[in-house]
Amino acid sequence: LFLERFEPFILKDKIKNQILSSSTLQTLIEFYVNKNKIYNLSQSLLHLNVKCLKHKLIKDISLQYDFFSEIIYICTNSLNDYFYPLLLMYKKFSSLLNENNNNRDGQFLQIITDSNNKMENKYQIFENTKEYLGYKIFWYINICIKGQKYPNFNELIDEKTYNDIII
């Protein structure tokens, strides 16, 4: 019950300046996974202080669920690595292009149901479709060229890093 009440505070950045312990973060992740609230987990990770996130743990969960936005967030804001997210998205995109099974083509939206199986007016974008991932790659290249950081687009990449990206 506490974790369910905790989510609105996370999403409104009320605890963004706080550093969560590893055990709290692990408990939060397990809660979302066990409740099958993967979209909520994705959104919550983007609203936590990047300094409090265990990079390996978040990378692992992000790779498992194709959370490319979260990988961009961690790699660029904490590790100052702008190439790994692009490489990862490109590898996934290439594998999707090479798949013979086109079951997921065109599946951009999925209606999310809450724990009571009531329909919500929210949609989850499948980040594992080649169409969406192709868009995400171009979007990421675009913000890098503009020198913007994600998710705070008003914050700019430092000049040395920007020159490394562009050259």
Side-chain angles (χ1 to χ4, degrees):
L1 184 62
F2 173 74
L3 292 175
E4 288 177 7
R5 305 261 187 238
F6 197 48
E7 182 180 353
F9 292 98
I10 294 172
L11 295 177
K12 290 181 181 175
D13 293 331
K14 298 290 185 186
I15 63 164
K16 187 138 188 162
N17 295 328
Q18 306 300 316
I19 295 180
L20 300 179
S21 69
S22 298
S23 60
T24 303
L25 182 60
Q26 181 68 39
T27 303
L28 187 66
I29 290 171
E30 288 172 2
F31 167 76
Y32 283 123
V33 170
N34 290 338
K35 294 279 190 179
N36 201 24
K37 292 186 167 191
I38 304 306
Y39 180 76
N40 300 60
L41 171 61
S42 166
Q43 294 306 299
S44 295
L45 291 175
L46 292 173
H47 289 272
L48 293 174
N49 185 339
V50 74
K51 293 177 179 138
C52 85
L53 301 177
K54 288 287 189 189
H55 301 136
K56 180 165 179 13
L57 174 65
I58 301 304
K59 272 187 175 180
D60 290 346
I61 200 81
S62 296
L63 290 172
Q64 181 179 351
Y65 292 105
D66 292 330
F67 290 166
F68 296 109
S69 295
E70 291 71 9
I71 290 173
I72 291 169
Y73 176 54
I74 290 171
C75 289
T76 59
N77 288 282
S78 184
L79 304 174
N80 209 31
D81 183 351
Y82 288 81
F83 296 105
Y84 180 75
L86 184 60
L87 178 65
L88 189 64
M89 288 187 292
Y90 180 75
K91 283 182 179 179
K92 178 71 175 187
F93 182 75
S94 294
S95 72
L96 289 172
L97 286 178
N98 292 329
E99 278 185 0
N100 290 332
N101 184 354
N102 292 327
N103 290 346
R104 292 185 242 178
D105 285 354
Q107 273 187 320
F108 288 100
L109 303 174
Q110 172 188 17
I111 297 173
I112 299 175
T113 58
D114 66 11
S115 58
N116 297 327
N117 290 327
K118 294 179 183 174
M119 296 301 211
E120 293 183 27
N121 291 327
K122 295 182 180 178
Y123 295 92
Q124 178 180 6
I125 297 175
F126 279 138
E127 291 193 359
N128 59 351
T129 63
K130 62 186 175 191
E131 295 88 353
Y132 183 79
L133 198 51
Y135 165 79
K136 188 80 157 193
I137 290 169
F138 282 117
W139 168 83
Y140 180 64
I141 291 170
N142 183 38
I143 65 169
C144 287
I145 289 171
K146 288 180 179 178
Q148 297 173 319
K149 280 197 168 189
Y150 176 78
N152 181 3
F153 298 111
N154 294 327
E155 189 177 343
L156 297 178
I157 301 169
D158 66 85
E159 189 174 338
K160 182 192 177 312
T161 304
Y162 180 75
N163 288 335
D164 290 344
I165 293 170
I166 298 302
I167 295 175

